[in-house]
Amino acid sequence: MARHVYETGIIGNCSYIAHVHLNTNIEWLCWPRFDSSFIFGGLLDRSRGGEFSIRPQGEFTSRQYYIDNTNVLVTEISSSQGRYRVIDFAPRFVQYERYFKPLMLVRKIELLEGRPLIKITCRPMGNYGQIALHPYKGSNHMEYHGLSDPVRLTTDVPLTYIDENKHFVLNENKYLVLTYGSPLEAPLQHTADYFLEKTIEYWRQWIQTTGIENIYQEEVIRSSLALKIHQFEDTGAIIAASTTSLPEANGSGRNWDYRYCWLRDAYYILQAFNHIGHFEELERYFHFFENIAVSSRERFQPLYSITGESYLPEREIDLEGYLGNKPVRIGNQAAEQVQNDTYGQILVSLLPLYVDNRIKYRARVNAAEWVSNILHKIEAVMDEPDAGLWEFRNIRQYHCYTYLFHWAGACAAIKMADKIKHKSLRQLALKLKKRAAEKIEQCYDPQRRVYTEAIGSKHLDASTLQLILMNYLDPRSQRAKDHLRCLEQHLKAEDGLFYRYKHEDDFGKPETTFLVTAFWYVEVLAHMGRVKEAQENFEQLMKYTNHLGLLSEDVDARDGSQWGNFPQAYSHVGVMNAAYRIAKKIDRPIFL
């Protein structure tokens, strides 16, 4: 079989994300929120997913690219009659001292050559394909009814051609503006071009203020741009991915809804933004966390909705699924799991708010109170097994990774206590740091000289790479070298790919490798001074992007196929953090 690659790019403005296929179709678009029903969902069902495409008559070829240093996507179409390109973007720029980021998708069709015959299909859906929205023609727009708010397509294309789904000759540039709720009430062409100019300017300025080293810049820029639009700016939540039910392997049944905010993911994402000198995302995320902290009573969940809702019931819906992969799931049962590493990750994530002098914002809540609260939660769960970061559904263990973050969270709390000069808080954190280290050492297998997945387990787990990355193990020590050697022997695949684990879980043995663990491996190599190997592995991993430099969650080591939800925030965080580690180790002038 041919290598499987996702043939879409994404656009977004921190209010929504849309997936644009090489054939110009909007394959995925959820409105009004990341976790709402799709308006277009051809990714999961060709008939009930609707369509929004701009295709030529007959056979054609296409290519896609981003306008440099932006999230503005261009799809060029070539047919026997001529050539045109579609510029897709989600408006985002500063206006009236705040960000303008409407639920508006702008599509500009530019004639390049000849007189191509094209057909515009706009068929939005509601309630995950259960409702076909009813179109009404206005004077210069189509309005689609059936949802609580109207969907409107404002255009200078003759409405008859759209309504009757007919081909017409493209002999000049045309504009399509799709809106949810508030329609475009302004001159169409001038406004669309103005929004395009301002959106390009915004993204390029954002990149100009990004602290990126002089190595792997192209990869880091694309990853940071993709990562940025995964934050739901209204609340500060950051989602793992904008899709649901794209399988981790074909036919595996591992189809999950990732349109939520995992507190664990947010730790790695914020670390990546911190490395490139962007702190606005951290500040907004802290607002999101504050609201969760107020409403959470006994314990924090592993994930929440983008508005902080805790109830995320998982259900299966009747759609054909991506390439026939069922079930299609909405919601995520992992919200009900016990995953105790979350507490330490919260402390480490928010530490820069107290110790990084570059950040103007300071937490307004009582620092001693909320840090103490989280430390007491760690104390309460220290002897409790959990589902772990891989979210086993029917397995609970005393995971090494969980205790590592108890340890790291306690270390962060010590720094916070020193900052606010709070002795009793420091003493509690020191006590928990010691207890967590004792638990980690119970995971050590002296015969194989490796830390295992959990206390009493013989299984190996790539998450224990973090023992070296977080300096629990001195990267220069023999113990770190032995631990890494054993993980390499058991979990490393070809070309730098890495398995999370190889033992059976609730769904059998994993079939694909997990990209972020491969980037963790690159980080470890750099951290331990094996810089050349780190670079070689990094460059191999970048071969697993799609045509736009976007990464999936999983890669099949047998043929390099992309699988899992796409694009995966975790994977792009891996790019950014691995490139950062390598650059710091190389540390050479730009002219060399």
Side-chain angles (χ1 to χ4, degrees):
M1 293 180 64
R3 177 179 176 236
H4 170 265
V5 179
Y6 292 110
E7 296 184 326
T8 60
I10 58 169
I11 60 171
N13 61 2
C14 301
S15 287
Y16 77 89
I17 292 174
H19 292 238
V20 186
H21 195 275
L22 268 165
N23 64 19
T24 75
N25 189 41
I26 303 299
E27 290 280 282
W28 186 255
L29 168 59
C30 297
W31 269 350
R33 295 178 6 180
F34 290 152
D35 54 1
S36 299
S37 167
F38 60 73
I39 298 292
F40 301 108
L43 202 60
L44 295 182
D45 197 301
R46 286 296 158 201
S47 60
R48 284 180 284 180
E51 183 177 348
F52 189 13
S53 62
I54 307 165
R55 304 191 202 199
Q57 186 179 60
E59 295 184 358
F60 64 93
T61 59
S62 66
R63 73 183 189 105
Q64 253 181 354
Y65 55 91
Y66 283 102
I67 293 178
D68 286 347
N69 293 356
T70 76
N71 276 313
V72 177
L73 185 62
V74 181
T75 308
E76 289 190 3
I77 302 293
S78 298
S79 71
S80 59
Q81 298 128 350
R83 296 172 50 242
Y84 62 94
R85 67 180 183 178
V86 181
I87 302 174
D88 286 305
F89 70 98
R92 179 176 173 82
F93 49 88
V94 176
Q95 181 173 262
Y96 307 128
E97 299 180 349
R98 54 186 183 270
Y99 291 118
F100 178 68
K101 44 181 175 46
L103 296 177
M104 175 186 292
L105 168 61
V106 182
R107 316 196 75 180
K108 181 179 180 181
I109 311 170
E110 288 189 344
L111 178 64
L112 299 177
E113 183 182 319
R115 291 293 183 268
L117 278 170
I118 69 169
K119 181 171 67 174
I120 296 172
T121 302
C122 186
R123 189 165 55 86
M125 307 294 286
N127 193 23
Y128 291 105
Q130 301 304 306
I131 300 172
L133 304 191
H134 191 76
Y136 293 90
K137 279 197 293 185
S139 58
N140 294 287
H141 67 266
M142 299 288 296
E143 192 156 285
Y144 302 89
H145 293 182
L147 302 177
S148 57
D149 290 290
V151 174
R152 178 182 285 194
L153 178 63
T154 303
T155 182
D156 54 1
V157 174
L159 298 181
T160 301
Y161 297 145
I162 297 176
D163 188 39
E164 298 182 6
N165 209 214
K166 289 185 175 181
H167 286 93
F168 66 94
V169 176
L170 180 67
N171 51 23
E172 62 182 351
N173 294 346
K174 294 293 183 182
Y175 296 81
L176 302 159
V177 176
L178 190 75
T179 54
Y180 181 93
S182 300
L184 176 67
E185 300 285 5
L188 175 62
Q189 297 179 17
H190 171 78
T191 304
D193 282 335
Y194 174 74
F195 284 2
L196 175 59
E197 177 188 348
K198 295 295 289 183
T199 299
I200 291 173
E201 179 184 315
Y202 166 79
W203 286 119
R204 286 180 170 169
Q205 287 181 345
W206 190 80
I207 288 298
Q208 283 179 357
T209 60
T210 298
I212 299 176
E213 303 293 337
N214 58 15
I215 186 171
Y216 303 129
Q217 280 198 347
E218 183 178 343
E219 293 86 350
V220 173
I221 286 172
R222 181 47 49 204
S223 289
S224 60
L225 285 166
L227 198 59
K228 171 66 175 175
I229 58 177
H230 280 74
Q231 181 165 53
F232 185 64
E233 197 166 68
D234 190 53
T235 63
I238 303 170
I239 59 171
S242 56
T243 55
T244 179
S245 301
L246 301 185
E248 292 182 14
N250 199 22
S252 67
R254 300 173 188 261
N255 314 334
W256 315 114
D257 191 349
Y258 275 12
R259 299 171 298 160
Y260 306 109
C261 181
W262 271 258
L263 301 186
R264 176 189 310 110
D265 291 23
Y267 157 69
Y268 292 103
I269 291 169
L270 294 171
Q271 182 185 57
F273 279 126
N274 193 16
H275 286 162
I276 63 173
H278 275 286
F279 305 108
E280 179 183 32
E281 294 76 18
L282 171 59
E283 293 166 0
R284 289 186 179 278
Y285 177 74
F286 185 76
H287 293 310
F288 174 74
F289 171 72
E290 275 187 300
N291 284 285
I292 288 175
V294 167
S295 59
S296 296
R297 297 179 181 177
E298 295 182 3
R299 62 167 74 234
F300 292 118
Q301 293 181 184
L303 64 147
Y304 293 84
S305 82
I306 58 175
T307 58
E309 296 163 15
S310 58
Y311 184 57
L312 304 175
E314 184 175 292
R315 60 189 176 93
E316 297 178 9
I317 59 176
D318 184 23
L319 293 173
E320 66 184 29
Y322 180 77
L323 298 181
N325 278 271
K326 291 187 176 183
V328 174
R329 293 185 172 98
I330 302 300
N332 200 307
Q333 187 186 329
E336 303 168 14
Q337 290 185 349
V338 173
Q339 295 179 32
N340 292 329
D341 55 298
T342 298
Y343 305 111
Q345 279 144 0
I346 290 169
L347 287 167
V348 178
S349 296
L350 303 180
L351 176 62
L353 290 174
Y354 295 91
V355 300
D356 194 323
N357 292 322
R358 295 171 294 175
I359 302 176
K360 294 180 181 179
Y361 176 84
R362 287 289 177 266
R364 289 187 293 273
V365 297
N366 185 315
E369 182 180 337
W370 81 261
V371 174
S372 175
N373 179 40
I374 296 176
L375 285 177
H376 280 107
K377 289 181 187 295
I378 291 176
E379 187 174 36
V381 302
M382 186 68 75
D383 297 312
E384 178 184 69
D386 69 355
L389 83 160
W390 306 129
E391 302 181 340
F392 299 128
R393 296 210 158 190
N394 297 297
I395 302 170
R396 284 196 178 190
Q397 301 180 100
Y398 299 95
H399 286 96
C400 185
Y401 181 88
T402 297
Y403 289 118
L404 174 63
F405 271 93
H406 289 342
W407 177 84
C411 291
I414 291 168
K415 282 200 162 190
M416 292 181 189
D418 289 343
K419 189 73 174 180
I420 61 176
K421 297 179 172 55
H422 200 293
K423 289 185 179 179
S424 62
L425 196 63
R426 192 178 201 281
Q427 290 172 349
L428 175 60
L430 281 169
K431 182 181 78 170
L432 294 177
K433 178 183 175 182
K434 181 181 178 183
R435 285 190 63 192
E438 290 169 354
K439 296 286 188 181
I440 294 170
E441 290 308 312
Q442 290 177 40
C443 298
Y444 187 66
D445 180 344
Q447 291 184 330
R448 292 185 292 171
R449 292 180 292 181
V450 68
Y451 289 82
T452 64
E453 181 177 68
I455 296 174
S457 172
K458 290 294 184 182
H459 297 312
L460 300 186
D461 187 329
S463 69
T464 60
L465 289 167
Q466 294 286 331
L467 291 167
I468 303 171
L469 283 181
M470 301 184 73
N471 274 56
Y472 175 83
L473 294 178
D474 184 339
R476 299 164 297 181
S477 68
Q478 189 59 45
R479 180 165 284 210
K481 293 173 184 176
D482 290 341
H483 177 64
L484 179 59
R485 186 181 301 112
C486 196
L487 292 181
E488 287 174 323
Q489 290 171 353
H490 288 83
L491 299 178
K492 187 175 181 293
E494 295 295 321
D495 297 327
L497 294 171
F498 230 85
Y499 288 92
R500 287 179 286 183
Y501 50 86
K502 286 189 173 179
H503 63 80
E504 286 195 5
D505 59 18
D506 312 286
F507 293 83
K509 289 187 177 182
E511 299 175 53
T512 52
T513 65
F514 200 60
L515 264 180
V516 76
T517 59
F519 285 112
W520 288 350
Y521 175 58
V522 171
E523 284 193 75
V524 168
L525 290 175
H527 195 43
M528 297 180 74
R530 294 163 60 181
V531 182
K532 185 178 179 181
E533 289 177 75
Q535 287 186 266
E536 289 171 352
N537 279 271
F538 182 92
E539 289 160 16
Q540 285 288 346
L541 293 176
M542 295 314 299
K543 294 178 182 178
Y544 299 112
T545 67
N546 76 346
H547 60 288
L548 292 167
L550 298 176
L551 291 162
S552 60
E553 178 187 23
D554 304 273
V555 170
D556 190 326
R558 294 167 296 185
D559 60 9
S561 288
Q562 293 186 323
W563 293 105
N565 283 298
F566 174 85
Q568 178 76 1
Y570 239 4
S571 299
H572 286 284
V573 165
V575 172
M576 296 166 70
N577 287 340
Y580 176 82
R581 290 262 191 184
I582 291 170
K584 287 296 181 186
K585 282 291 183 179
I586 293 176
D587 190 27
R588 66 186 177 210
I590 192 171
F591 54 83
L592 293 179

